[in-house]
Amino acid sequence: MSNNNNILIIIPARGGSKGIPRKNLRYLNGKPLIYYSVKTALNSVYNPTVVVSSEDREILDLAKKIGADTIKRNPKLATDEITLDSVIYDTYIKAEKIYNKKFSVIITLQPTSPLLKTESLDNAVRMLIKNPELDSVISAKDDTHLSWKKENGKFIPNYKERLNRQFLKPIYKETGGFFITNSEIITKTDRIGQNVELYLLKNGEDIDIDTYEDWSLCEYYLRRKKILFVTSGYKEIGLGHIYRTVIIANDILNHELIFLTDKKSKAGFEKIKSLNYNVHIQKSEKITDDIAMLKPNIIINDILDTDIEYMQKLKSICSKIINFEDCGKGSEYADIVINALYPEKKKTEKNYYSGHKYFIARDEFILSETTKIKENAETILISFGGTDPNNYTLRILNIIYDFCISNNIKIDVIAGLGYTNCSTLKKFNQINLKKNVSNISTYMAKADIIFSSAGRTVYEIATIGTPSIILCQNKRETTHLFANKENGFINLGEAYKISDNEIFKTFKDLINNFTERKTLSSRMLKKDLKKGRKRTLKIISNFITD
């Protein structure tokens, strides 16, 4: 078929459009409206003859510059009363004379469907070619709804009983995108015939511009980017990366969002899936192969440190990349790096954003009330993140439990999703143990002192303002410098280097020092970390639209 070039695509584009004057020449997302249909046609694998039919000289001249052939339309065929059937028939007859050939397939391609993909057009052509009994294939969309009609001045339902949409009898509406017609049946009054197949469009391809609202919707789709979040979440590292990417996604409303997790991140995959986002889990040996198949416009990595090989491969796939919490050598290849957990770098480093100003707080912390510092401490909270790999929860309970019980101080313990040592806590029968809670801010706000590690939790605590004793799980956490006295934290460093006696003394001194607890809380709240999310999202938004 492609070798014979016996497919004719006619793009009817008169100059006298009423709803949106000069519609076909107006610029849509930087290009004339007619540009899109011409390019869709020219890119077809069937190598069709593409002609624009118009009575308007300006439209015809522009169509030639874009790459289409043109056939001047008789002005009598460009009035509001004339149907497209006669226009297409007239152009088809003229085209056979001009090109001195017979066309077997005549396609009407409307310029008012700029989001139509060449792939969809070719698939519909293939339907007609493979089924000789078909007269035509028409673009349509599912328009199944509870509908009404008016008879004798009264509104009457088009249904026998009210049902949810999925149980209604399907109704399909023509989109105007394309008519693909067997040339044997085409006449001045018919392009449809008796045997018709519908090709269903969706995801914007079904939009037919008739109003300014339709135009705005097309602008939205054309500006829409495909953003891919590559993230990790499993027992050893917890779900912090997953939660952060979901927060970012929740604040991005105008683009297509896709998530991809690595093979180990089944827990992260299930969490994202439960939130109804489009999420994939790594299938290829190299995750970069999965990324390439998804064809993103922008990649946001939240997987800790990246290496050079990984980032170089990503740059060959996608030109715009943002990395979170990346201290690896691959970070040099990212367009933007956001490392909230690490101290600010020199201003000379372009597009590197570090420090507490870029912490992304979850909704519950932005909306939460702050801690009210009481003279007598009543509640202690122990929470060492998603996994607590060193089981510091058990160690702290061994140190403070008897003292707290003797002094009528309650102990709340929040275990993360990946914490597997709950059985070791059974002997502490007076603690309030909760696992993987969805409202940890509530527990933080009612606590008088918190024991935690030096990860993202310190920022969450700082939005609440609860005095805290920090024990670092590993050497990397010691580089998270926000958790210091100046910002309201008592950071004891790597826990294995600190004796139980020193931990207990620090705890007891803080319990008995109301003034110190007030001071620590005030220092935390001065940082106003709730603004970090808005600040970071602005950086991302500007980068997406740049």
Side-chain angles (χ1 to χ4, degrees), residues 5 24 27 59 67 83 88 93 117 141 144 149 206 225 244 246 288 364 374 385 449 524:
N5 189 21
N24 292 311
Y27 273 62
I59 291 176
T83 65
I88 299 305
I93 297 302
K117 296 177 181 177
K141 65 178 180 180
T144 307
K149 60 186 176 182
D206 55 339
K225 302 289 195 304
R244 177 163 50 208
V246 168
T288 50
E364 64 166 307
K374 301 185 288 292
I449 294 175
M524 288 183 187

Side-chain angles (χ1 to χ4, degrees), residues 6-232:
N6 61 353
I7 294 179
L8 174 65
I9 295 182
I10 301 172
I11 301 174
R14 71 189 183 110
S17 55
K18 294 293 191 297
I20 302 177
R22 306 298 286 163
K23 176 167 58 179
N24 292 311
L25 293 172
R26 287 198 175 198
Y27 273 62
L28 176 70
N29 195 38
K31 295 181 177 65
L33 178 60
I34 197 171
Y35 170 92
Y36 296 97
S37 54
V38 171
K39 288 299 181 182
T40 297
L42 292 174
N43 289 331
S44 171
V45 296
Y46 291 102
N47 190 27
T49 298
V50 179
V51 299
V52 171
S53 165
S54 182
E55 86 295 356
D56 189 287
R57 176 50 58 189
E58 192 176 353
I59 291 176
L60 294 173
D61 288 343
L62 180 60
K64 287 179 182 178
K65 290 179 181 179
I66 299 171
D69 292 339
T70 60
I71 294 180
K72 183 76 179 290
R73 190 190 308 183
N74 187 323
K76 293 181 180 180
L77 294 177
T79 64
D80 292 339
E81 296 77 20
I82 298 298
T83 65
L84 269 182
D85 290 333
S86 56
V87 173
I88 299 305
Y89 180 78
D90 180 72
T91 308
Y92 155 55
I93 297 302
K94 287 178 179 178
E96 288 202 326
K97 291 178 181 178
I98 292 170
Y99 296 103
N100 192 27
K101 65 189 301 184
K102 286 295 210 180
F103 293 103
S104 61
V105 177
I106 312 301
I107 300 174
T108 307
L109 196 63
Q110 296 273 35
T112 50
S113 295
L115 302 180
L116 178 69
K117 296 177 181 177
T118 301
E119 180 184 4
S120 298
L121 175 63
D122 286 344
N123 287 340
V125 172
R126 195 171 296 113
M127 289 171 62
L128 186 73
I129 293 172
K130 286 188 174 182
N131 189 346
E133 295 181 358
L134 280 179
D135 292 327
S136 59
V137 177
I138 302 173
S139 63
K141 65 178 180 180
D142 188 331
D143 197 40
T144 307
H145 292 92
L146 292 170
S147 61
W148 294 66
K149 60 186 176 182
K150 194 171 186 179
E151 290 183 358
N152 300 321
K154 292 184 178 180
F155 288 103
I156 301 171
N158 282 323
Y159 53 85
K160 293 182 179 179
E161 58 179 321
R162 296 187 68 85
L163 299 171
N164 289 335
R165 185 174 182 271
Q166 62 267 35
F167 300 114
L168 292 172
K169 186 177 181 180
I171 297 174
Y172 304 104
K173 179 181 178 181
E174 293 181 22
T175 68
F178 56 73
F179 268 66
I180 303 173
T181 308
N182 188 324
S183 63
E184 294 179 359
I185 64 100
I186 193 167
T187 68
K188 289 182 180 181
T189 58
D190 186 23
R191 289 174 293 146
I192 298 178
Q194 298 298 315
N195 299 316
V196 180
E197 185 67 63
L198 297 183
Y199 186 91
L200 300 183
L201 299 174
K202 56 183 179 180
N203 297 327
E205 288 190 85
D206 55 339
I207 298 175
D208 183 27
I209 295 179
D210 190 45
T211 65
Y212 287 105
E213 289 77 13
D214 298 330
W215 190 282
S216 297
L217 189 56
C218 281
E219 285 271 10
Y220 159 73
Y221 274 105
L222 288 167
R223 291 174 180 173
R224 201 172 184 230
K225 302 289 195 304
K226 182 186 286 187
I227 302 173
L228 174 65
F229 294 93
V230 183
T231 185
S232 298

Side-chain angles (χ1 to χ4, degrees), residues 305-366:
D305 298 348
T306 61
D307 58 41
I308 293 174
E309 181 184 0
Y310 171 79
M311 288 300 295
Q312 284 181 333
K313 179 63 178 176
L314 287 200
K315 273 295 182 181
S316 70
I317 298 169
C318 175
S319 62
K320 304 184 80 170
I321 302 173
I322 299 175
N323 286 7
F324 275 88
E325 227 170 288
D326 186 0
C327 294
K329 293 182 178 180
S331 65
E332 297 177 9
Y333 293 83
D335 298 284
I336 290 176
V337 178
I338 302 174
N339 282 344
L341 287 175
Y342 303 97
E344 293 187 18
K345 289 202 171 187
K346 295 179 180 179
K347 299 296 182 182
T348 53
E349 295 202 32
K350 187 180 180 182
N351 296 336
Y352 192 104
Y353 303 90
S354 58
H356 68 274
K357 291 180 181 179
Y358 305 101
F359 169 64
I360 299 177
R362 286 183 280 161
D363 290 337
E364 64 166 307
F365 292 98
I366 291 176

Side-chain angles (χ1 to χ4, degrees), residues 373-381 403 409 447-451 465-470 485 488-492 502-521 523-524:
I373 305 301
K374 301 185 288 292
E375 188 166 354
N376 295 315
E378 299 174 355
T379 304
I380 307 301
L381 172 63
F403 174 85
I409 298 173
D448 297 288
I449 294 175
I450 297 174
F451 280 94
T466 307
S468 300
I469 299 171
I470 302 301
K485 197 74 175 281
F489 294 88
I490 299 176
N491 192 338
L492 299 180
E502 186 174 351
I503 293 172
F504 182 69
K505 182 179 183 304
T506 301
F507 167 65
K508 190 174 179 181
D509 288 346
L510 192 58
I511 282 279
N512 295 325
N513 195 333
F514 172 58
T515 302
E516 175 72 355
R517 285 188 279 117
K518 283 178 64 177
T519 300
L520 293 175
S521 178
R523 289 175 180 173
M524 288 183 187

